[in-house]
């Protein structure tokens, strides 16, 4: 079934399932935020290692995305999409039933592996369904993009409700019925593509995943071990060697996991850098804003989730209503640069949080400014990154842009966790010190967003204002 032959109604129902995939992938990164304090108490996590409940998912997700994209191109996006949902279901059962920290992290890593199959195959299916019409593709990307903040806030909101009124394992069990419904819908709605001959670079997948994991571990451990310690630099050196080895492997393979020449496509590398820095600024903001609401302002789980609804509503409206129109009028580059600048401004304002603050002064204004920046930058950078590749490499391009965002998220959160700890966030019983650490993390995220705006301004080529860049 192709874009031309698929009935219109069925295509838009298929888009709803694809958007649900994006919703779930992002929800699983955020739903644990409000449950973290109870998980910490029951499973024995330390304050420093608590971020690994997030990072175990993100490292597996980011490290295996290229493999997911390659499998999508070889085996067919529909098969990989279904396999990803089945894997996510298994991981959710393990994470919910965990009785200790180690089992919890294993479950989260399996969830991340499932998401690594879902995300690139979902974008590939979207391109198969809507790629022949730039106007429809922009609308489809807007719906897909809006599902991300919706999933983020739904995760926080549902996490609050579940944590307060049920129990924290249900933040994982909630995935099970949704996954089952999607698995039933996939055969009827999703276009199929024949399998293609080719090999899978398992060595490359293992190398890039291990390299990413080592990099995040080194940064997270640095505040305890010391930035100048042999342990920190040894782990970071191992990460650098593994990631460099991945690049060498890709340059020598006949059928690499990631064809390096793909980055010659105009604006593909620049758009991926923008996505990387967008994730590195946005995700730490979500993580530490949740902690500020609970640990400093004293919000319980449900009000903490509700406090983020205005920000998410603005992002969704911006992505669905504003972004497509602005793309047609201004083009991708001005929107990406402006969006990152506005995000940096919102984060800088958020860094002014006070130990005796309140939602209306310390959270709402800054979060709305940051949300405006995210809604401007996300769709143009995502659309540019996936539309620049050749059609037969749609899975690879989808995998790369997801890797960029998730690597940025993991490394950005690890780095800002280190910054927060250095400025007092490790003192959980001292509210002024805790607030100082959160403030430093917000300011650090603002610097990342500002750097992203500068890099995008220098590296992106200006293009004619159109819905989506033409494929190369």
């Amino acid at each position: 079934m192709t874009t031309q032959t698929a009935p219109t109604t069925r295509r838009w129902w298929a888009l709803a399932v694809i958007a649900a995939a994006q919703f779930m992938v992002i929800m699983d990164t955020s739903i644990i935020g409000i449950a973290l304090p109870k998980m910490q108490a029951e499973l024995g996590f330390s304050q420093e290692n608590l971020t690994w409940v997030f990072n175990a998912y993100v490292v597996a997700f980011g490290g295996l995305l290229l493999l997911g994209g390659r499998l999508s191109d070889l085996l067919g996006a529909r098969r990989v999409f279904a396999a990803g949902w089945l894997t996510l279901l298994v991981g959710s059962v393990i994470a919910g039933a965990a009785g200790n920290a180690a089992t919890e992290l294993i479950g989260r890593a399996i969830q991340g592996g499932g998401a690594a199959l879902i995300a690139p195959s979902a974008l590939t299916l979207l391109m198969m369904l809507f790629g022949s019409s730039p106007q429809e593709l922009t609308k489809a990307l807007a719906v897909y993009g809006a599902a991300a903040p919706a999933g983020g806030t739904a995760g926080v909101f549902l996490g609050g409700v579940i944590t307060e009124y049920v129990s924290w394992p249900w933040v994982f069990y909630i995935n099970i019925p949704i996954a089952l419904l999607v698995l039933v819908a996939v055969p009827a709605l999703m276009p199929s593509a024949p399998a293609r001959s080719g090999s899978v670079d398992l060595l490359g997948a293992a190398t890039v995943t291990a390299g990413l994991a080592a990099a995040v571990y080194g940064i997270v451990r640095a505040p305890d071990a010391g930035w100048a310690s042999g342990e920190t630099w040894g782990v970071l050196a191992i990460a650098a060697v593994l990631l460099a080895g991945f690049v060498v492997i890709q340059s020598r393979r006949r059928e690499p996991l990631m064809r390096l020449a793909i980055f010659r496509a105009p604006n593909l590398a620049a758009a991926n850098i923008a996505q990387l820095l967008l994730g590195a600024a946005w995700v730490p903001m979500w993580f530490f804003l949740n902690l500020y609401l609970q640990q400093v302002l004293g919000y319980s789980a449900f009000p903490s989730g509700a406090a983020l609804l205005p920000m998410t509503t603005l992002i969704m409206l911006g992505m669905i209503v504003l972004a497509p129109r602005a793309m047609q009028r201004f083009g991708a580059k001005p929107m990406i640069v402006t969006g990152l600048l506005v995000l940096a401004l919102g984060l800088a304002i958020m860094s002014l949080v006070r130990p005796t603050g309140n939602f209306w002064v310390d959270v709402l204004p800054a979060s709305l400014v940051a949300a405006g920046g995210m809604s401007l930058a996300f769709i143009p950078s995502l659309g540019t990154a996936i539309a620049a590749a050749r059609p037969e490499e749609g899975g690879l391009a989808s995998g790369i842009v997801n890797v960029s965002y998730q690597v940025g998220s993991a490394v950005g959160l690890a780095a800002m966790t280190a910054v927060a700890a250095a400025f007092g966030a490790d003192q959980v019983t001292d509210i002024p010190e805790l607030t100082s650490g959160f403030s430093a993390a917000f300011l650090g995220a603002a610097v990342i967003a500002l750097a992203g705006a500068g890099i995008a301004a220098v590296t992106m080529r200006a293009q004619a204002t159109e819905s989506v860049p033409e494929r190369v």
Side-chain angles (χ1 to χ4, degrees), residues 350-371:
M350 197 174 291
S351 72
L352 303 176
V353 290
R354 300 165 297 162
T356 57
N358 63 73
F359 169 76
W360 300 104
V361 175
D362 296 80
V363 176
L364 183 62
S367 67
L368 292 179
V369 174

Side-chain angles (χ1 to χ4, degrees), residues 114-371:
L117 297 176
I118 292 170
S121 56
L123 273 173
T124 302
L125 289 167
L126 186 150
M127 295 298 296
M128 291 171 65
L129 289 163
F130 299 97
S132 65
S133 170
Q135 186 175 5
E136 284 196 343
L137 180 58
T138 300
K139 292 178 182 178
L141 285 173
V143 173
Y144 177 86
T153 296
V156 174
F157 190 76
L158 288 173
V161 173
I162 291 169
T163 302
E164 188 153 325
Y165 298 111
V166 190
S167 61
W168 68 261
W170 281 94
V171 302
F172 303 113
Y173 293 153
I174 194 174
N175 293 340
I176 297 171
I178 298 173
L180 292 173
L181 287 173
V182 170
L183 287 169
V184 170
V186 164
L189 295 177
M190 295 302 169
S192 61
R196 291 165 40 200
S197 61
S199 62
V200 178
D201 181 12
L202 295 177
L203 177 60
T207 304
V208 71
T209 303
L212 175 60
V216 174
Y217 179 81
I219 296 170
V220 169
R221 280 283 301 153
D224 289 334
W227 283 99
S229 70
E231 176 188 338
T232 298
W233 285 102
V235 173
L236 292 178
I238 291 171
V241 169
L242 286 169
L243 294 174
F246 170 72
V247 174
V248 172
I249 291 169
Q250 301 313 288
S251 68
R252 295 181 177 179
R253 292 268 183 175
R254 289 184 59 187
E255 296 186 80
L257 192 65
M258 181 178 70
R259 188 177 66 88
L260 299 180
I262 195 174
F263 289 103
R264 296 175 187 167
N267 279 340
L268 188 142
N272 274 279
I273 292 172
Q275 279 276 310
L276 185 146
L277 295 175
L278 196 59
W282 182 257
V283 169
M285 183 207 74
W286 266 92
F287 185 84
F288 288 107
L289 187 56
N290 276 315
L291 293 181
Y292 175 74
L293 287 167
Q294 292 186 72
Q295 297 181 351
V296 176
L297 298 189
Y299 281 29
S300 61
F302 181 79
S304 182
L308 299 179
L309 287 176
M311 176 171 65
T312 304
T313 302
L314 179 60
I315 294 176
M316 293 179 66
L317 288 175
M319 287 188 178
I320 294 174
V321 178
L322 176 62
R325 296 177 182 177
M327 277 281 285
Q328 292 178 347
R329 181 171 182 181
F330 301 109
K333 179 177 178 178
M335 289 187 64
I336 294 170
V337 173
T338 301
L340 283 164
L341 286 174
V342 174
L343 176 58
L345 175 62
L347 288 166
I349 297 172
M350 197 174 291
S351 72
L352 303 176
V353 290
R354 300 165 297 162
T356 57
N358 63 73
F359 169 76
W360 300 104
V361 175
D362 296 80
V363 176
L364 183 62
S367 67
L368 292 179
V369 174

Side-chain angles (χ1 to χ4, degrees), residues 431-444:
I431 298 300
E433 286 292 316
L434 194 61
T435 306
S436 177
F438 295 160
S439 175
F442 293 139
L443 189 59

Side-chain angles (χ1 to χ4, degrees), residues 11-197:
R11 284 195 294 123
W12 291 103
W13 276 110
L15 176 63
V17 175
I18 292 168
Q22 172 75 336
F23 180 93
M24 288 293 296
V25 164
I26 302 301
M27 189 181 78
D28 277 339
T29 67
S30 65
I31 197 169
I32 54 120
I34 292 176
L36 286 176
K38 289 191 176 181
M39 293 173 67
Q40 181 179 14
E42 292 189 24
L43 300 181
F45 284 100
S46 67
Q47 181 76 3
E48 310 85 61
N49 291 332
L50 195 58
T51 57
W52 277 99
V53 180
F54 176 89
N55 284 330
Y57 178 92
V58 173
V59 169
F61 185 14
L64 295 173
L65 272 165
L66 291 177
L67 178 61
R70 175 65 173 166
L71 291 174
S72 180
D73 287 335
L74 290 178
L75 303 180
R78 188 170 75 175
R79 294 186 185 90
V80 174
F81 187 72
W85 279 98
L86 183 59
T87 305
L88 180 67
L89 188 155
V90 172
S92 299
V93 171
I94 294 173
N100 55 65
T103 305
E104 181 62 43
L105 296 184
I106 290 171
R108 289 292 285 165
I110 294 173
Q111 283 187 304
L117 297 176
I118 292 170
S121 56
L123 273 173
T124 302
L125 289 167
L126 186 150
M127 295 298 296
M128 291 171 65
L129 289 163
F130 299 97
S132 65
S133 170
Q135 186 175 5
E136 284 196 343
L137 180 58
T138 300
K139 292 178 182 178
L141 285 173
V143 173
Y144 177 86
T153 296
V156 174
F157 190 76
L158 288 173
V161 173
I162 291 169
T163 302
E164 188 153 325
Y165 298 111
V166 190
S167 61
W168 68 261
W170 281 94
V171 302
F172 303 113
Y173 293 153
I174 194 174
N175 293 340
I176 297 171
I178 298 173
L180 292 173
L181 287 173
V182 170
L183 287 169
V184 170
V186 164
L189 295 177
M190 295 302 169
S192 61
R196 291 165 40 200
S197 61

